[in-house]
């Protein structure tokens, strides 16, 4: 399965359009959204082309292709207008390596509850995947018990921070690839190697 991963649309219609164009271009099987879909939040400036109703109209027809977790800006009111579930705080995904062998487990969440500073229950070799910071990341984490985890963040589709680009990630056959919304690759991490 090819998975596209994106986060923090924050109601930007032009950025959502570019994200969905990338999804089509990537020919991914599913799109995993890591929260903050419609509202920009009180700490952010309005993103370019802020139009949550347009974002709703773009995403609802995609409902069978979407997997989502709840962001700190996502509410029950948002769920009332979206035709796919967005209110789970996290989900687990078990990856295959492309040869049918079981790969690492991903703990996918937005990042405001579970993050590198407040780890969820993980096993050695698992992956913590979240958005929230609007900053792409690929870092190894070592806990107090000597377990190693990988922390991955796709960055933000609409409000990138710390001079990062509007971006998303693709996972396929044991490889995570970060790309900007134009589809230009800028980072790769393979599950059997280090960043």
């Amino acid at each position: 399965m090819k998975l596209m991963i994106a986060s923090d649309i924050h109601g930007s219609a032009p950025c959502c359009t570019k994200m969905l164009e990338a999804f089509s271009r990537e020919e991914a099987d599913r799109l995993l959204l890591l929260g903050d879909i419609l509202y920009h939040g009180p700490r952010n400036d309005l993103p370019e082309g802020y139009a949550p109703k347009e974002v709703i109209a773009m995403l609802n027809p995609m409902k069978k292709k979407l997997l989502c977790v709840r962001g700190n800006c996502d509410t029950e009111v948002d769920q009332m207008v979206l035709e796919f579930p967005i209110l789970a705080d996290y989900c687990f995904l078990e990856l295959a390596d492309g040869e049918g062998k079981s790969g690492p487990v991903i703990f996918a969440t937005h990042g405001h509850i579970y993050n590198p500073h407040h780890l969820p229950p993980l096993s050695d070799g698992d992956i913590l995947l979240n958005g929230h910071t609007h900053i792409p990341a690929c870092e190894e984490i070592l806990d107090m018990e000597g377990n190693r985890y990988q922390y991955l963040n796709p960055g933000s589709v609409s409000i990138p921070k710390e001079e990062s680009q509007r971006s998303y990630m693709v996972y396929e056959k044991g490889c995570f690839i970060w790309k900007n919304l134009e589809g230009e690759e800028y980072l790769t991490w393979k599950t059997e190697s280090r960043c």
Side-chain angles (χ1 to χ4, degrees):
M1 174 189 286
K2 185 174 185 180
L3 183 64
M4 182 171 153
I5 304 158
S7 189
D8 297 279
I9 301 168
H10 286 291
S12 171
C15 292
C16 186
T17 297
K18 288 180 181 178
M19 177 192 72
L20 293 178
E21 288 170 355
F23 180 70
S24 178
R25 184 175 60 241
E26 295 289 350
E27 298 180 347
D29 298 296
R30 296 284 181 142
L31 174 58
L32 171 59
L33 296 176
L34 299 176
D36 286 359
I37 297 169
L38 299 178
Y39 180 51
H40 64 90
R43 295 180 300 170
N44 296 312
D45 293 331
L46 281 175
E48 171 191 346
Y50 183 66
K53 288 182 181 179
E54 291 179 36
V55 172
I56 294 164
M58 285 185 262
L59 292 179
N60 277 341
M62 305 277 306
K63 63 187 171 191
K64 293 184 179 180
K65 296 283 188 180
L66 300 177
L67 304 170
C68 301
V69 294
R70 180 183 198 159
N72 59 306
C73 294
D74 298 324
T75 68
E76 287 81 4
V77 172
D78 299 334
Q79 184 62 84
M80 291 172 65
V81 296
L82 293 169
E83 298 171 2
F84 49 92
I86 65 163
L87 296 179
D89 286 327
Y90 61 89
C91 71
F92 286 99
L93 301 168
E94 186 170 0
L95 301 177
D97 65 2
E99 297 176 11
K101 296 177 187 171
S102 184
V105 170
I106 292 180
F107 185 97
T109 188
H110 181 62
H112 63 296
I113 298 171
Y114 296 108
N115 54 61
H117 305 290
H118 182 239
L119 291 172
L122 297 170
S123 295
D124 191 52
D126 285 349
I127 296 168
L128 173 61
L129 173 66
N130 65 251
H132 186 56
T133 65
H134 299 216
I135 303 165
C138 181
E139 303 167 6
E140 186 176 80
I141 299 172
L142 183 65
D143 72 10
M144 299 299 283
E145 298 169 5
N147 296 307
R148 294 181 186 273
Y149 316 106
Q150 196 68 28
Y151 167 58
L152 307 178
N153 188 318
S156 173
V157 168
S158 68
I159 309 172
K161 295 186 177 174
E162 292 192 7
E163 300 181 21
S164 62
Q165 304 177 62
R166 292 181 171 120
S167 61
Y168 64 94
M169 292 167 48
V170 173
Y171 170 81
E172 188 175 30
K173 298 179 182 175
C175 188
F176 288 89
I177 301 169
W178 284 253
K179 297 183 179 184
N180 64 23
L181 286 182
E182 287 70 43
E184 299 165 333
E185 182 180 325
Y186 65 89
L187 180 63
T188 300
W189 180 73
K190 295 183 180 179
T191 56
E192 62 273 4
S193 65
R194 305 283 182 235
C195 292

